[in-house]
Amino acid sequence: MLTKKLLPEGITREERTKKLNEAMRAVKPEICVERARLVTESYKQTEGAPYILRRAHALSHILKNMTIFIEEDELIVGNHASKPRSAPLFPEFGSFDKKELDLMPVRKVDTLQITEEDKKYLLEEIYPWWKNKNTGDMAKYYINEKIMDVLNSPYRVLDPISRTRSGYGHYIPNIETVLKKGFIGIEQEAKKHLENLDILDPDYPEKKHFYEAILIIVDGIKCFAKRYADLARAMAEKTTDKRRKKELELIALNCDRVPYYPAESFYEALQSYWFTILIDYIFQNGSAISGGRFDQYMAPYYENDIKKGIIVREEARELLEALWVKHSDVIKVGTFNSARNNGGFATTINIVLSGVGKDGNDATSDFSYLCLDAESSVFNSEPNVSIRVSQKTPDEFLHKVLEILVEKEGGKLPLFNDDAIIDALVTDGASIEDARDYAIVGCVEPTPSGNTMGITNACYFNLAKCLELALNDGVCPFSGQQMGPKTGKAENFTSFDQVLEAYKTQVEYFADMMVSSLNSIEKLHAQYSPHIYCSMLLDGCIENGKDCTLGGAKYNYIGVQGVGVQDVGDSLTAIKKVVFEDKSITMKELLEALKSNFKGYEVLQQRLINKVPKYGNDIDEADNMVAWAAEHYCSCFDDKYDFRGGKFRPGLFCLSSNTPLGRQVGALPSGRLSGTPLADGGVSPKHGMDTHGPTAAAKSVAKINHARAVNGVNFNMKFLPSILKTKEDRQKLIDLIRGYFSLGGFHIQFNILTPEKLIDAQKHPERHRSLVVRVAGYSAFFVELDRDIQNEIIARTLQQVS
Amino acid sequence: MVKKAVESIKGLVFDIQRYSIHDGPGIRTVVFLKGCPLRCKWCSNPESQDIRPQIFYIKSRCMGCGLCEKNCPDKEVKLEHDGLKIDWKAANRGDLAWTSVCPTGALGIKGIYMSVEEVLNIVMKDEIFYRQSGGGMTLSGGEPLMQPKFALGLLKMAREADISTAVETTGYVDRKVLLDAMHYTDVFLYDFKHWDDEAHIKYTGVSNKKIKDNLKILAEAGANIMVRTPLIPDVNDSEESIRKIMEIIKEYGIKKFTLLPFHQYGSGKYASCGMQYDMKDVKPHSEKQVAKLFRIIEDSGFSSEF
Ligand code: SF4
């Protein structure tokens, strides 16, 4: 069978993918200061101009001047920083102090090399210029002082400030538009609007700036692609390798056309996709800028080329795999704290496969399978491939997903419930067509595609901390600070309802703080760091002549995640049972036990753990309490909007923030020890507590109303590979998934691996570079994770399966 | 019998396991009934054998708090430096409710009296998964038909609820009970451990005659039967041994046959019940050995699918 039509012979798909992947995985990530230099240069030149124009010029300046390169055997080109898999800096959003920079090469998570010279350059030349000019520094002018007091505590309930540093991320640009119309189409539209602007329009100056900014950016994009075309040609000329020469010429032809012109072939479409998403990452410090429904908008190009006979399937897979590897090039640098929260260079570029089409029919195609093939060959943490599952999705497709999971022994490929999510999105205000065309942002957040400024992961909210405050009259037991409102001394409570009331008051108090501070931060961003590039790629902005940071897009949200709802629920169940029903101990004794972290109260702790029903076992008494806490948290945002009219959308997921957030909370009535991780996932049963098997766990999880947590939930289930050995076994797991989905569950994610393998990976990271694990909702290279998180993964419940 | 009367029948259950995927078609809940007439040396559920409730002690979960020692009625348990010392005979006598003082669950009871209704309530929790997968309830043990009224009650009610029913049996039971059960059982998982009677007596403590006769009659009566042979090293794992079994069951007209490879997962439970385990040093078969025997079964025209 012919394996190549478009590409020259001389290397197989397997060989190329292996080479590209090995090269990518071998990179020791480092800090790249080039972007910092370029953006500073530009901002110095544009002082005094409106921020939207300064921003556009800065970005264009970067595209025109940043280092570009084409790696050996690459077919898809475009680099994020001056070296492969290196992290650029975004001084306009915030700086790193000397301590943070010194830590980077030695910290255990997201380790980054940096030279002394670069450190000096940043600390002496770059950061001083940005002092009080970057959004991180300016946050203090925007956020209420009382809130700031809480946010400054290391034991705070929430940390919205990190949003000021990250800039925009967590949305799905409309890549399809670029494939179809090219940036030339967008340019023409902007020009037309500019020509037709009404000088009497009260917003005339803002609109004028907005469209001018677009033109500046398009100019930069054109130049960027041309530079690659020139480079490829120059390299083609130099090389003596005939095969590579031909490939470089093809690359040059691609870059001549896309992304400025519409894509005409599958290969061009892939290159256009990569440039489009890459440029967004070059502009923004945010993560989780996601690819959307890749198989849907890409399939027509593939099918067309196959039909025309200019490409064969195997070769299309080779191109796809080359593109897949490229996703690992994008890494961001965060502070030690934020790296610990997210961990493992989680850029989380989500790509969605399968699901129903806009017409409601199954949209799985041969190309969806081809994407799975590519995923199984490359299987890195990026892209974060998600699977949409409707009742109409063929079992065959799911079998293939499970086969990959078993073979790779690493959890990726989370499954999402089309039927429930589409309903929930419609209820949330999306049109039925937009709802059906949803995709996943980052890890688990469903939003419409290409028209939504989602900001789906704006803040984590520590619910367990709120319970702790409720039991301590609002005082943080670690610091003694009166952090929350005075809700009364718990030892004086005479009914369980009083406990609930105190807890509710604390949650609502901090929820208001979160709403206020995030709204302030959105204003800050809108003022100083408009996001024009993204506005070009979100339906609504160009029509409205309004930047997406100001609410130009069709849909606007801010996603806020409650964390620890399981710990809260289990603790409330315990209080209710032992203090108010059995009365086996008094509240005073319980509080004493918590204060001493169960030292001297070990028997009580064991009783709380073993003799009180726990969430995750399909026991209503325990599950309903967690469901109540979830409902209460979500209801705090029922009437909350930001200044753009964007809805505050609650979610229940935590990536790996359950570990650091756990450090802020003392011992809990559930029997949990002080400082230990909160329950993972967001809605997953607590590790080791779900002893009734996966159906029971799934049913418990589905008792939480997922449609309320429309910003997404995360349910992790871990299996030993032995339970998925045969096709019949896998069919039963598919039946489990479908059963769980019919109960309204949004998401399920399987970790299929052996503990031995993970322990071995801790000892011999070098032997396990390829081991990808999902940490509560996204995947990462296991060996790149913090030790704490590694241990946590190992401890995760092994589902008891006979 | 009216429904109410059936629902209130009580039986002794030592475990209920949801999402069981190797005990009949689809996703199933296995209800383990206590008591067994056989004493197979390789038994992986030693806590199932005795027909009375008994104490079960998981040493690794014990925190050494001594509450059990303080609360046991007559010094049956003693806390020593490496865990409990239990006078098993004395401890298993009488009411075992005092064990609930154990805060860790290290000390517990195997065997709780439950009504048909109570068990069904738990079984039906996974109804949605049975509907999706064609699964249902499997009775296991021990020998579930050693508690005939209770077992029949469970099967009847499960049938009424329109879920799939299966019975795992040693076959060493009253014939009438077996034939009665047939009316409410979609598939029997019928263990046949050894073709040779002498060997059967040696390893299981009972003759295989009744088991063979019952199998024949059940097959003739038209029951859906899958015969299963636990594959035990040096006991019945020769090719010849398997062929002999196949000869016999072929004669009975049985079409489904499978092997249950030997494993050591039950070994820890012997100590937990104060029992002796004799097969510690026996090595499980390699996957290759098992696969070879499975091939022989397949080549002989048997299906190993439910
Ligand atoms: S009560 Fe339980 S935990 Fe305490 S010593 Fe006895 S068996 Fe061990």
Side-chain angles (χ1 to χ4, degrees):
Chain A
M1 207 178 77
L2 207 57
T3 57
K4 307 235 165 161
K5 272 189 180 171
L6 174 72
L7 299 170
E9 296 282 353
I11 182 169
T12 65
R13 170 183 61 78
E14 288 90 342
E15 285 164 354
R16 185 192 309 273
T17 301
K18 188 158 177 267
K19 258 175 119 172
L20 292 176
N21 223 359
E22 275 174 2
M24 191 61 91
R25 288 173 182 180
V27 173
K28 246 188 170 183
E30 35 184 299
I31 296 272
C32 163
V33 299
E34 183 179 73
R35 186 188 179 286
R37 175 172 61 78
L38 292 170
V39 78
T40 310
E41 267 170 23
S42 171
Y43 266 74
K44 280 181 180 168
Q45 287 162 11
T46 57
E47 229 156 346
Y51 271 89
I52 192 163
L53 293 176
R54 295 185 74 184
R55 191 107 197 100
H57 280 299
L59 302 176
S60 185
H61 185 65
I62 294 168
L63 292 183
K64 287 178 178 170
N65 294 287
M66 68 180 273
T67 304
I68 62 164
F69 54 82
I70 296 171
E71 292 279 273
E72 210 177 311
D73 288 325
E74 277 191 328
L75 293 174
I76 304 293
V77 301
N79 49 286
H80 182 219
S82 61
K83 286 180 186 165
R85 204 163 155 76
S86 60
L89 295 170
F90 298 75
E92 66 268 43
F93 293 104
S95 57
F96 292 102
D97 59 19
K98 181 162 185 324
K99 215 174 110 208
E100 281 279 1
L101 290 175
D102 286 342
L103 207 55
M104 291 206 182
V106 293
R107 64 189 196 185
K108 291 259 159 53
V109 58
D110 292 7
T111 315
L112 286 154
Q113 307 305 315
I114 179 166
T115 64
E116 285 306 314
E117 194 191 333
D118 282 348
K119 257 192 240 172
K120 202 167 159 228
Y121 174 62
L122 289 171
L123 291 170
E124 289 175 12
E125 292 182 44
I126 298 294
Y127 291 148
W129 190 82
W130 285 99
K131 198 165 162 46
N132 286 324
K133 292 191 193 90
N134 67 59
T135 45
D137 284 354
M138 283 188 286
K140 57 178 177 287
Y141 300 116
Y142 281 72
I143 295 173
N144 169 285
E145 295 77 12
K146 260 208 206 128
I147 298 180
M148 253 344 209
D149 271 352
V150 170
L151 303 188
N152 283 332
S153 163
Y155 308 106
R156 61 195 160 238
V157 174
L158 64 158
D159 181 17
I161 298 296
S162 59
R163 250 299 283 138
T164 62
R165 305 178 53 101
S166 65
Y168 275 79
H170 287 93
Y171 54 82
I172 305 162
N174 193 341
I175 293 170
E176 195 175 359
T177 298
V178 181
L179 301 188
K180 280 188 176 156
K181 294 199 269 181
F183 279 101
I184 184 174
I186 293 168
E187 186 181 40
Q188 284 164 350
E189 248 179 273
K191 274 186 183 155
K192 211 164 85 201
H193 279 287
L194 201 53
E195 277 162 22
N196 296 334
L197 264 188
D198 178 359
I199 52 167
L200 291 178
D201 184 336
D203 293 328
Y204 173 81
E206 286 92 344
K207 287 187 176 167
K208 177 174 176 296
H209 298 157
F210 176 73
Y211 293 121
E212 283 170 353
I214 291 179
L215 298 181
I216 294 167
I217 297 243
V218 174
D219 181 49
I221 293 168
K222 243 163 91 178
C223 173
F224 188 57
K226 182 174 181 303
R227 292 176 63 210
Y228 278 97
D230 292 346
L231 176 63
R233 282 210 174 82
M235 287 170 74
E237 219 147 275
K238 261 201 224 132
T239 184
T240 51
D241 179 342
K242 269 201 191 135
R243 191 248 316 161
R244 187 58 184 155
K245 189 186 197 66
K246 179 86 202 297
E247 286 170 2
L248 285 162
E249 282 162 4
L250 288 170
I251 290 170
L253 287 174
N254 264 357
C255 297
D256 283 343
R257 293 195 38 84
V258 296
Y260 187 63
Y261 294 104
E264 283 180 344
S265 67
F266 177 63
Y267 190 11
E268 279 184 15
L270 294 182
Q271 180 63 58
S272 186
Y273 161 90
W274 181 243
F275 272 140
T276 305
I277 209 151
L278 174 73
I279 290 168
D280 212 351
Y281 277 109
I282 290 171
F283 284 179
Q284 284 294 321
N285 198 19
S287 58
I289 298 166
S290 293
R293 305 193 71 184
F294 186 85
D295 63 342
Q296 299 305 306
Y297 57 72
M298 222 35 113
Y301 294 93
Y302 165 72
E303 284 157 10
N304 199 27
D305 282 11
I306 292 278
K307 210 165 37 199
K308 284 203 292 204
I310 56 177
I311 200 169
V312 294
R313 196 174 192 273
E314 176 72 1
E315 183 177 36
R317 181 170 167 187
E318 185 170 348
L319 291 170
L320 270 180
E321 290 176 5
L323 171 65
W324 244 239
V325 176
K326 278 307 265 185
H327 289 80
S328 295
D329 187 49
V330 179
I331 59 170
K332 299 286 178 189
V333 47
T335 58
F336 178 57
N337 259 332
S338 91
R340 279 213 302 199
N341 270 350
N342 300 314
F345 289 124
T347 310
T348 54
I349 310 171
N350 203 307
I351 280 180
V352 174
L353 304 178
S354 188
V356 298
K358 279 185 190 170
D359 58 1
N361 293 322
D362 176 46
T364 316
S365 69
D366 175 50
F367 184 68
S368 314
Y369 285 87
L370 194 67
C371 292
L372 274 188
D373 286 334
E375 168 63 10
S376 81
S377 314
V378 177
F379 210 75
N380 289 332
S381 56
E382 307 291 339
N384 189 11
V385 177
S386 298
I387 310 298
R388 278 181 50 171
V389 182
S390 82
Q391 284 175 17
K392 297 168 187 161
T393 307
D395 275 0
E396 191 195 341
F397 193 71
L398 299 179
H399 271 285
K400 179 141 194 161
V401 170
L402 293 183
E403 277 159 27
I404 295 172
L405 287 178
V406 174
E407 189 197 319
K408 299 290 172 181
E409 284 192 1
K412 275 194 78 182
L413 304 174
L415 306 173
F416 291 87
N417 179 358
D418 262 16
D419 304 284
I421 290 175
I422 291 168
D423 274 358
L425 289 174
V426 169
T427 307
D428 198 46
S431 74
I432 180 74
E433 288 79 18
D434 287 339
R436 282 182 185 145
D437 207 32
Y438 83 90
I440 302 300
V441 176
C443 301
V444 299
E445 305 98 281
T447 79
S449 308
N451 52 20
T452 304
M453 181 29 92
I455 318 177
T456 58
N457 198 2
C459 198
Y460 292 122
F461 187 94
N462 194 336
L463 290 161
K465 184 75 192 174
C466 292
L467 179 65
E468 180 173 58
L469 292 171
L471 295 176
N472 289 285
D473 201 11
V475 176
C476 168
F478 290 98
S479 63
Q481 181 187 11
Q482 181 74 46
M483 194 177 273
K486 285 184 182 266
T487 41
K489 294 229 177 297
E491 53 260 48
N492 299 333
F493 291 167
T494 52
S495 76
F496 180 62
D497 281 346
Q498 283 176 293
V499 180
L500 292 184
E501 273 314 309
Y503 166 75
K504 276 163 66 179
T505 306
Q506 298 291 343
V507 172
E508 285 157 22
Y509 177 79
F510 290 105
D512 285 351
M513 273 194 181
M514 180 156 67
V515 167
S516 163
S517 49
L518 287 177
N519 185 55
S520 300
I521 290 166
E522 290 317 310
K523 282 220 154 165
L524 168 66
H525 277 306
Q527 175 102 32
Y528 294 103
S529 47
H531 193 4
I532 317 106
Y533 182 74
C534 177
S535 302
M536 294 156 65
L537 302 175
L538 288 183
D539 296 354
C541 296
I542 295 183
E543 294 88 310
N544 295 328
K546 210 189 222 179
D547 195 76
C548 60
T549 58
L550 286 165
K554 184 168 178 188
Y555 301 106
N556 294 281
Y557 307 125
I558 297 186
V560 287
Q561 281 49 270
V563 179
V565 78
Q566 312 96 311
D567 300 87
V568 169
D570 281 347
S571 292
L572 288 172
T573 307
I575 295 173
K576 184 166 178 237
K577 217 168 158 80
V578 302
V579 178
F580 294 101
E581 283 174 10
D582 306 352
K583 300 196 169 61
S584 55
I585 53 164
T586 64
M587 183 68 99
K588 195 159 178 248
E589 283 167 315
L590 179 62
L591 293 176
E592 273 306 313
L594 298 183
K595 213 167 128 191
S596 57
N597 196 21
F598 293 113
K599 256 221 175 77
Y601 295 86
E602 288 81 4
V603 169
L604 172 63
Q605 184 197 9
Q606 287 304 320
R607 226 183 262 143
L608 290 168
I609 292 173
N610 297 299
K611 302 277 163 157
V612 177
K614 292 283 179 296
Y615 172 67
N617 296 295
D618 197 10
I619 300 169
D620 283 346
E621 183 187 1
D623 298 341
N624 291 347
M625 199 67 92
V626 174
W628 173 84
E631 169 62 32
H632 172 255
Y633 173 72
C634 295
S635 72
C636 291
F637 308 98
D638 276 347
D639 51 355
K640 301 291 193 298
Y641 295 85
D642 68 9
F643 76 95
R644 305 167 306 202
K647 221 181 190 157
F648 279 83
R649 271 180 135 205
L652 297 166
F653 63 88
C654 61
L655 309 201
S656 46
S657 71
N658 60 316
T659 302
L661 293 189
R663 292 193 191 107
Q664 303 170 333
V665 186
L668 289 176
S670 60
R672 172 194 158 279
L673 287 173
S674 175
T676 57
L678 301 178
D680 97 316
V683 294
S684 310
K686 186 104 176 163
H687 296 171
M689 293 297 164
D690 51 334
T691 54
H692 287 49
T695 50
K699 276 191 69 196
S700 289
V701 170
K703 284 179 207 173
I704 293 174
N705 185 355
H706 295 190
R708 282 293 262 144
V710 65
N711 196 48
V713 305
N714 189 326
F715 175 26
N716 295 326
M717 202 182 253
K718 182 174 175 178
F719 284 124
L720 292 173
S722 54
I723 81 133
L724 288 170
K725 254 194 205 149
T726 66
K727 186 150 192 224
E728 292 85 68
D729 293 344
R730 290 192 286 276
Q731 183 59 48
K732 290 180 188 186
L733 188 61
I734 291 171
D735 291 334
L736 169 74
I737 296 163
R738 294 205 189 268
Y740 162 68
F741 279 0
S742 72
L743 293 170
F746 263 25
H747 162 279
I748 190 165
Q749 158 71 46
F750 301 105
N751 279 343
I752 299 167
L753 29 81
T754 59
E756 296 91 283
K757 188 161 181 154
L758 295 179
I759 292 166
D760 193 53
Q762 281 189 316
K763 284 190 208 137
H764 307 285
E766 74 284 359
R767 280 189 222 157
H768 295 274
R769 293 242 175 265
S770 67
L771 183 62
V772 179
V773 254
R774 290 205 58 108
V775 188
Y778 69 92
S779 48
F781 289 117
F782 180 81
V783 296
E784 287 182 355
L785 293 172
D786 189 340
R787 191 83 176 189
D788 276 359
I789 291 170
Q790 287 181 353
N791 289 338
E792 146 113 344
I793 292 172
I794 294 171
R796 207 172 278 168
T797 321
L798 289 171
Q799 298 286 341
Q800 299 284 312
V801 173
S802 62
Chain B
M1 233 183 315
V2 285
K3 189 175 165 189
K4 259 254 147 37
V6 177
E7 283 178 338
S8 61
I9 302 171
K10 287 207 168 192
L12 196 58
V13 175
F14 73 89
D15 204 358
I16 297 181
Q17 232 171 63
R18 296 164 70 174
Y19 198 67
S20 293
I21 56 173
H22 300 127
D23 304 272
I27 294 171
R28 312 190 72 83
T29 296
V30 179
V31 182
F32 293 89
L33 274 59
K34 212 157 151 28
C36 189
L38 275 62
R39 289 293 179 268
C40 307
K41 299 212 177 319
W42 52 83
C43 178
S44 60
N45 286 333
E47 76 276 31
S48 74
Q49 295 176 359
D50 198 318
I51 189 118
R52 293 159 301 179
Q54 69 191 91
I55 282 180
F56 197 79
Y57 172 59
I58 306 164
K59 196 166 141 189
S60 62
R61 288 181 71 174
C62 177
M63 68 184 292
C65 67
L67 279 173
C68 50
E69 186 178 318
K70 257 181 246 154
N71 286 281
C72 63
D74 199 18
K75 301 201 174 103
E76 297 90 338
V77 303
K78 231 182 123 212
L79 180 63
E80 297 192 340
H81 69 282
D82 63 338
L84 292 187
K85 194 152 176 251
I86 303 176
D87 176 349
W88 291 97
K89 261 219 174 110
N92 280 330
R93 235 178 271 139
D95 184 359
L96 306 179
W98 59 272
T99 54
S100 70
V101 297
C102 174
T104 60
L107 200 62
I109 306 171
K110 285 290 171 189
I112 295 174
Y113 288 100
M114 295 177 79
S115 70
V116 166
E117 188 184 11
E118 282 171 324
V119 172
L120 250 295
N121 280 344
I122 296 176
V123 168
M124 291 313 285
K125 282 181 167 225
D126 277 351
E127 181 176 0
I128 193 150
F129 301 105
Y130 309 148
R131 300 267 173 258
Q132 187 66 48
S133 67
M137 178 184 77
T138 299
L139 297 187
S140 181
E143 168 51 63
L145 299 179
M146 246 182 120
Q147 302 185 49
K149 268 195 186 165
F150 181 55
L152 283 176
L154 288 171
L155 291 169
K156 244 182 236 178
M157 296 313 293
R159 175 59 64 82
E160 198 146 296
D162 198 23
I163 60 170
S164 150
T165 52
V167 174
E168 290 179 351
T169 180
T170 62
Y172 197 82
V173 294
D174 189 88
R175 182 165 308 157
K176 186 169 170 320
V177 173
L178 199 58
L179 290 172
D180 280 352
M182 196 184 95
H183 294 300
Y184 312 105
T185 304
D186 294 321
V187 56
F188 283 95
L189 310 170
Y190 198 111
D191 280 13
F192 188 176
K193 329 244 185 200
H194 211 294
W195 60 275
D196 177 53
D197 199 30
E198 226 168 89
H200 201 278
I201 293 172
K202 180 176 168 201
Y203 290 111
T204 73
V206 303
S207 160
N208 69 8
K209 183 156 182 329
K210 188 169 171 182
I211 295 170
K212 274 169 36 184
D213 290 350
N214 275 344
L215 181 56
K216 186 163 178 240
I217 282 163
L218 194 62
E220 280 167 6
N224 177 15
I225 306 170
M226 149 101 56
V227 170
R228 305 193 303 181
T229 296
L231 192 68
I232 311 300
D234 298 328
V235 172
N236 62 2
D237 62 340
S238 69
E239 212 182 298
E240 190 213 343
S241 192
I242 299 301
R243 285 198 194 282
K244 288 262 196 216
I245 289 178
M246 290 197 294
E247 259 168 47
I248 296 170
I249 63 175
K250 199 166 236 169
E251 215 175 278
Y252 299 165
I254 284 166
K255 304 224 163 50
K256 297 177 185 173
F257 177 50
T258 193
L259 300 173
L260 302 171
F262 173 73
H263 62 76
Q264 295 275 21
Y265 300 148
S267 63
K269 295 202 271 186
Y270 281 81
S272 288
C273 307
M275 287 165 70
Q276 176 91 16
Y277 182 52
D278 295 332
M279 309 237 348
K280 204 171 260 138
D281 300 325
V282 178
K283 278 223 160 57
H285 298 97
S286 71
E287 280 195 27
K288 231 167 114 192
Q289 285 171 302
V290 175
K292 194 177 150 211
L293 292 173
F294 264 104
R295 222 167 303 124
I296 292 172
I297 293 176
E298 216 172 280
D299 292 346
S300 312
F302 284 100
S303 155
S304 58
E305 269 165 43
F306 295 109

